[in-house]
């Protein structure tokens, strides 16, 4: 290959990467959001990560997926080793990972193009430019702002990194085996489809799809191109390697998804979901078409992180778009498979997209919709367009009878490519600017999601922080009338009325009703009521005193869905115990803490509740609570081999909980002796 050919492609890719950095720059100064607060505090949960012991505790502390996603957790240490932390380094690293993925995608597209071009040597420059352009379209697409600038979604970015690395290594192994270098080829395939799959899986569960994606490229792209070019099919050693590293993992994934579907349809799913698994399966074709619309007809702004406005399909005809969407998705997959010999790049991009969506958009009862689920599936999405813009003909297209000659590379196509990249970068800049301004972000998301309770609550919180509680009230009241069981609307309305100084009985009654009828409160229950109890102690809102807070919690206790949830019962007992402490009733607080602890015995909860009793001036009750925990039977060991089980093992090996218990017990005993010592 001529040096200037390679230089032109790398120069285009480098320019696109630099412009992407400029487009993302306004968003790097935004703050943490939502799931960031649920995951990143683990950086300081058991102390700063400055020693081997705290490092191992942190690395095994993940709860998402059976694996706990330790590779993603490990990557966060590049940015902070304690909590609270500055969000900027996290966002900067996310952007660097995004740029790395763009470079890896360029290398993958260039490799695929070389394998399938009619005249690879003569078309080398066009192939490389098409690869740079396809990677540039993906890298600069505004849809991925919500993945790149949402810190915790590094967990969605790293599987793409290892998937791209794995596919490149697999292609190298395939080439070596075709050249009869069997052992070298096997080593590359084992690295690509073995080691990289493990790394991708340890970043997020959908990383396990790497072998399936390799098979998709094999049979939708490489085999048709090999047959059309009369090239040698890889030898039987390659087939045996793919059986081990490709087909067996694919079979295991298929069996798991079918089992999850059967279990969800026959046994049911969590009560926290407002839909059944059958309704989810009916809904996902609509969601997938929405994803494709967002990819091919991008806009500067989207619904963002909120998805509760997506309503589940209850039948093939309700809503009416359900059946047409199902038929459209089926037709797209069928046409892509049927047309893989005639349009290999286009067919492969479509099949790659649907295969990569198969875990998060099928039988596992995840939430219905998330933008970040397109990050990996869309990797090949824009390559067919780039090939057309560069007028590259693939070898499989010879079977259509098209002439071998090439059309001249019209300047109009080059101009169209530049305009496309410029439009994407401008939209990305607009969207990143929004991500750098949390208040404007919240208000826009609320306008774009008028039926989303989460969006309206988030916007109301932004208005309260800005000192406009009356605006928050005007936003929340009509939303709560439309969805009276939405506890996040009801509790934020209480907070807004408290801030405005006009809390009334109607707002309290609405909150009581929401708590008594909601499906689930999530972590909102403890976070909001903890703030309310602290506010009541400081007379922050006289109308929301401890008596009213207790009445609200008792309403939540009567909710049958919350009463059947051990974790929520525990939360309610803990909060009622805090109220008892504030009212100077240590005996009642101890009884409530004990009752909550019995629901789900946990060392961390026993320690925190005993410490709370002690810090309130009741060390005897704190010691009694520790004694009660010791009297409970140990919780059963988890039957599944997952990260939670490994984390428990690490804590046992470090003797972590006994040491913490002994330290707290010594402090409580010292406090007890000091209170009992005669004065004078």
């Amino acid at each position: 290959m001529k040096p200037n050919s390679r230089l032109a492609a790398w120069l285009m890719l480098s320019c696109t990467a630099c412009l992407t950095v400029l487009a993302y720059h306004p968003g790097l100064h935004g703050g943490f959001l939502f799931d960031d607060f649920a995951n990143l505090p683990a950086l300081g949960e058991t102390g700063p990560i400055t020693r081997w012991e705290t490092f191992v505790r942190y690395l095994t502390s993940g709860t998402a997926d059976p694996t706990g996603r330790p590779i993603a957790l490990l990557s966060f240490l590049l940015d902070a080793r304690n909590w609270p932390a500055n969000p900027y380094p996290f966002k900067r690293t996310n952007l660097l990972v995004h740029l790395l993925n763009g470079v890896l995608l360029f290398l993958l597209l260039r490799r695929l193009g070389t394998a399938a071009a009619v005249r690879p040597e003569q078309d080398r420059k066009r192939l490389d430019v098409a690869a740079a352009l396809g990677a540039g379209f993906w890298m600069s697409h505004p849809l991925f702002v919500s993945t790149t600038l949402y810190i915790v979604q590094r967990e969605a970015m790293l599987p793409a990194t290892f998937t791209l690395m794995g596919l490149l290594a697999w292609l190298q192994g395939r080439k070596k085996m075709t050249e009869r270098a069997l052992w070298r080829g096997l080593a590359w395939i084992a690295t690509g489809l073995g080691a990289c799959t493990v790394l991708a899986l340890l970043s997020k569960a959908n990383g396990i799809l790497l072998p399936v994606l390799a098979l998709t490229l094999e049979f939708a792209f490489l085999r048709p191109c090999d047959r059309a070019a009369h090239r040698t099919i890889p030898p039987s050693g390659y087939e045996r390697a793919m059986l081990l590293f490709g087909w067996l993992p694919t079979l295991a994934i298929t069996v798991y998804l079918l089992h999850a579907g059967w279990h969800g349809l026959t046994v049911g799913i969590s009560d926290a979901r407002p839909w059944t698994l059958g309704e989810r399966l009916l809904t996902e074709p609509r969601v997938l078409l929405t994803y494709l619309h967002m990819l091919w007809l991008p806009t500067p702004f989207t619904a963002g992180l909120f998805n509760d406005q997506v309503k589940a399909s209850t039948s093939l005809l309700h809503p009416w778009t359900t059946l047409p969407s199902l038929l459209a998705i089926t037709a797209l997959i069928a046409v892509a498979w049927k047309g893989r010999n005639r349009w290999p790049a286009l067919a492969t991009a479509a099949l790659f997209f649907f295969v990569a969506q198969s875990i998060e958009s099928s039988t596992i009862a995840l939430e219905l919709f998330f933008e970040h689920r397109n990050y990996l599936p869309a990797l090949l999405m824009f390559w067919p367009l780039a090939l057309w813009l560069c007028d590259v003909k693939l070898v499989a297209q010879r079977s259509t009878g098209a002439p071998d000659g090439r059309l001249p590379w019209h300047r109009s196509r080059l101009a169209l490519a530049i305009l496309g990249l410029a439009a994407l970068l401008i939209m990305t800049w607009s969207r990143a600017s929004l991500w750098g301004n949390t208040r404007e972000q919240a208000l826009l998301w609320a306008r774009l999601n008028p039926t989303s309770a989460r969006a309206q609550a988030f916007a109301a919180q932004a208005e309260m922080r800005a000192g406009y509680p009356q605006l928050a009230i005007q936003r929340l009241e009509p939303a709560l009338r439309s969805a009276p069981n939405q506890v996040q609307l009801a509790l934020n309305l209480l907070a807004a009325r408290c801030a405005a100084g006009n809390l009334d009985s109607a707002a309290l009654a609405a909150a009581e009703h929401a708590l008594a009828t909601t499906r689930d409160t999530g972590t909102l229950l403890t976070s909001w009521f903890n703030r309310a109890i602290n506010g009541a102690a400081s007379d922050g809102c006289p109308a929301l005193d401890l008596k009213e807070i207790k009445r609200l919690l008792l309403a939540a206790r009567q909710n049958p869905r919350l009463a059947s949830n051990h974790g929520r019962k525990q939360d309610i007992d803990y909060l009622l115990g805090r109220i008892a402490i504030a009212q100077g009733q240590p005996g009642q607080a101890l009884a409530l803490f004990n009752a909550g602890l019995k629901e789900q015995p946990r060392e961390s909860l026993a320690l925190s509740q005993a410490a709370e009793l002690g810090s309130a001036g009741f060390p005897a009750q704190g010691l009694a609570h520790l004694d009660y925990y010791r009297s409970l039977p140990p919780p059963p060991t988890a039957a599944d081999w997952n990260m939670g089980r490994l984390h428990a093992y690490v804590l046992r090996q470090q003797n972590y909980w006994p040491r913490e218990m002994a330290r707290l017990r010594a402090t409580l005993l010292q406090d007890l002796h000091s209170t009992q010592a005669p004065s004078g």
Side-chain angles (χ1 to χ4, degrees):
M1 181 172 62
K2 296 179 181 179
N4 62 339
S5 167
R6 177 176 296 176
L7 181 61
W10 278 107
L11 183 61
M12 173 179 283
L13 185 69
S14 300
C15 289
T16 305
C18 291
L19 292 172
T20 300
V21 171
L22 292 176
Y24 269 92
H25 184 264
L28 296 179
H29 302 284
F32 296 108
L33 288 170
F34 306 121
D35 288 350
D36 292 338
F37 294 106
N39 293 271
L40 297 178
L43 287 163
E45 192 170 287
T46 62
I49 304 171
T50 55
R51 297 179 293 113
W52 171 252
E53 292 81 0
T54 53
F55 171 76
V56 175
R57 290 201 297 268
Y58 166 72
L59 201 61
T60 60
S61 65
T63 57
D65 300 341
T67 66
R69 305 177 183 177
I71 299 296
L73 292 180
L74 182 64
S75 75
F76 292 135
L77 293 178
L78 296 171
D79 311 308
R81 297 185 181 181
N82 202 357
W83 187 261
N86 180 7
Y88 178 82
F90 293 90
K91 292 179 181 284
R92 179 188 58 201
T93 302
N94 275 21
L95 179 56
L96 291 175
V97 172
H98 184 59
L99 297 176
L100 171 63
N101 288 341
V103 173
L104 292 172
L105 178 57
F106 163 71
L107 296 175
L108 176 65
L109 297 181
R110 189 172 68 171
R111 174 67 68 88
L112 291 173
T114 302
V118 173
R119 305 178 345 175
E121 292 304 320
Q122 296 90 328
D123 287 348
R124 177 70 67 181
K125 183 174 182 178
R126 293 176 183 244
L127 287 168
D128 286 356
V129 172
L133 194 56
F137 283 147
W138 178 86
M139 187 164 49
S140 60
H141 201 287
L143 184 62
F144 306 130
V145 169
S146 61
T147 306
T148 306
L149 294 182
Y150 190 10
I151 293 169
V152 76
Q153 289 312 324
R154 192 179 303 173
E155 297 172 347
M157 301 172 72
L158 290 174
T161 306
F162 294 116
T163 294
L164 288 165
M165 290 179 176
L167 291 175
L168 285 167
W170 161 68
L171 287 172
Q172 179 69 7
R174 187 181 191 274
K175 180 176 181 289
K176 292 296 180 184
M177 283 202 162
T178 304
E179 296 168 352
R180 304 295 171 175
L182 297 181
W183 286 108
R184 292 176 66 185
L186 180 61
W188 277 107
I189 291 174
T191 301
L193 302 187
C196 286
T197 298
V198 171
L199 293 172
L201 175 63
L202 294 178
S203 301
K204 192 178 180 181
N206 64 336
I208 202 173
L209 290 171
L210 170 54
V212 195
L213 296 173
L215 289 175
T216 302
L217 291 179
E218 176 75 30
F219 288 96
F221 189 81
L222 295 174
R223 291 292 175 95
C225 292
D226 285 345
R227 285 194 297 268
H230 307 291
R231 284 195 290 259
T232 304
I233 302 295
S236 58
Y238 175 74
E239 299 294 343
R240 288 193 290 269
M242 291 305 293
L243 175 64
L244 177 61
F245 292 106
W247 287 108
L248 288 180
T250 298
L251 178 62
I253 294 166
T254 303
V255 169
Y256 175 79
L257 291 176
L258 290 173
H259 175 266
W262 175 258
H263 185 272
L265 291 172
T266 57
V267 178
I269 58 177
S270 169
D271 285 340
R273 301 298 188 201
W275 34 260
T276 66
L277 184 61
E279 291 170 343
R280 183 182 201 274
L281 294 175
L282 287 174
T283 307
E284 286 308 304
R286 292 168 44 219
V287 171
L288 290 172
L289 285 181
T290 302
Y291 291 159
L292 290 173
H293 181 271
M294 297 169 78
L295 286 165
W296 283 107
L297 296 173
T299 58
F301 307 113
T302 67
L305 305 184
F306 301 108
N307 54 65
D308 54 323
Q309 78 282 0
V310 178
K311 303 303 179 185
S313 296
T314 56
S315 71
L316 286 172
L317 300 177
H318 190 272
W320 69 268
T321 53
T322 302
L323 181 58
S325 297
L326 179 60
L327 294 175
I329 295 297
T330 303
L332 282 172
I333 294 173
V335 169
W337 180 253
K338 186 70 175 177
R340 67 192 186 281
N341 292 317
R342 188 171 183 180
W343 309 293
L346 189 61
T348 303
L351 293 171
F352 189 98
F353 175 81
F354 289 119
V355 169
Q357 292 279 5
S358 60
I359 283 185
E360 294 180 305
S361 300
S362 63
T363 57
I364 301 175
L366 305 171
E367 295 223 41
L368 297 176
F369 182 102
F370 271 123
E371 290 181 2
H372 66 256
R373 291 176 184 167
N374 294 283
Y375 189 83
L376 188 157
L379 286 172
L380 304 186
M381 186 63 67
F382 310 108
W383 188 44
L385 174 61
L387 291 171
W388 177 80
L389 289 169
C390 295
D391 190 29
V392 175
K393 187 183 297 297
L394 299 183
V395 69
Q397 292 174 290
R398 284 185 171 183
S399 61
T400 67
D404 287 340
R406 294 184 291 112
L407 294 172
W409 192 357
H410 293 295
R411 292 182 179 179
S412 59
R413 294 195 184 188
L414 178 61
L416 187 60
I418 294 173
L419 285 174
L421 276 174
L424 292 174
L425 287 165
I426 290 171
M427 287 187 280
T428 295
W429 177 84
S430 298
R431 199 170 182 199
S433 299
L434 186 71
W435 275 76
N437 187 326
T438 304
R439 181 169 181 266
E440 290 301 319
Q441 182 182 53
L443 297 179
L444 178 63
W445 283 350
R447 286 198 297 273
L448 294 175
N449 299 281
T451 61
S452 167
R454 297 174 186 174
Q456 301 309 317
F458 183 52
Q461 291 167 5
E463 287 167 333
M464 284 187 279
R465 285 194 297 270
Y468 302 110
Q470 202 60 46
L471 292 178
I473 294 169
Q474 294 171 11
R475 176 184 303 279
L476 293 168
E477 285 186 332
L480 185 58
R481 285 194 294 269
S482 300
N485 66 338
Q486 286 291 338
V487 70
Q488 56 196 321
L489 297 175
L491 295 182
N492 277 292
L493 179 58
L494 291 186
R497 284 204 166 276
C498 276
N502 58 5
L503 179 59
D504 56 14
S505 59
L508 288 166
E512 190 174 353
H513 173 79
L515 286 163
T517 58
T518 186
R519 281 187 166 273
D520 192 21
T521 61
T523 59
L524 177 66
L525 187 74
T526 52
S527 61
W528 191 90
F529 276 97
N530 270 326
R531 291 194 299 271
I533 292 169
N534 293 337
S538 60
D539 292 327
C541 181
L544 189 64
D545 57 13
L546 293 175
K547 180 181 177 182
E548 288 295 341
I549 295 172
K550 183 175 181 179
R551 186 164 67 87
L552 293 173
L553 286 170
L554 291 177
R557 182 186 264 181
Q558 298 304 312
N559 186 327
R561 290 192 179 96
L562 302 183
S564 61
N565 185 316
H566 293 291
R568 296 295 168 257
K569 286 177 66 178
Q570 189 174 78
D571 291 342
I572 293 170
D573 284 336
Y574 162 71
L575 293 165
L576 289 171
R578 282 206 65 201
I579 292 175
I581 289 176
Q583 293 176 331
Q585 299 172 339
Q588 185 178 356
L590 176 61
L592 288 163
F593 282 173
N594 287 350
L597 187 61
K598 189 176 180 180
E599 293 290 331
Q600 288 182 334
R602 292 181 290 127
E603 296 94 337
S604 58
L605 182 64
L607 280 166
S608 65
Q609 292 184 155
E612 190 147 9
L613 285 164
S615 62
F618 308 119
Q621 285 74 16
L623 289 166
H625 189 55
L626 293 180
D627 292 337
Y628 179 76
Y629 171 76
R630 193 165 54 183
S631 72
L632 293 173
T637 304
D640 298 331
W641 288 96
N642 55 28
M643 188 58 73
R645 187 168 183 174
L646 179 59
H647 184 63
Y649 172 78
V650 167
L651 294 176
R652 286 196 302 272
Q653 290 299 110
Q654 294 184 359
N655 201 36
Y656 178 77
W657 291 119
R659 284 191 288 107
E660 293 298 309
M661 290 278 188
R663 185 179 295 115
L664 178 58
R665 186 178 290 276
T667 301
L668 291 171
L669 282 171
Q670 183 178 357
D671 290 346
L672 180 63
H673 293 152
S674 64
T675 57
Q676 291 177 344
S679 58

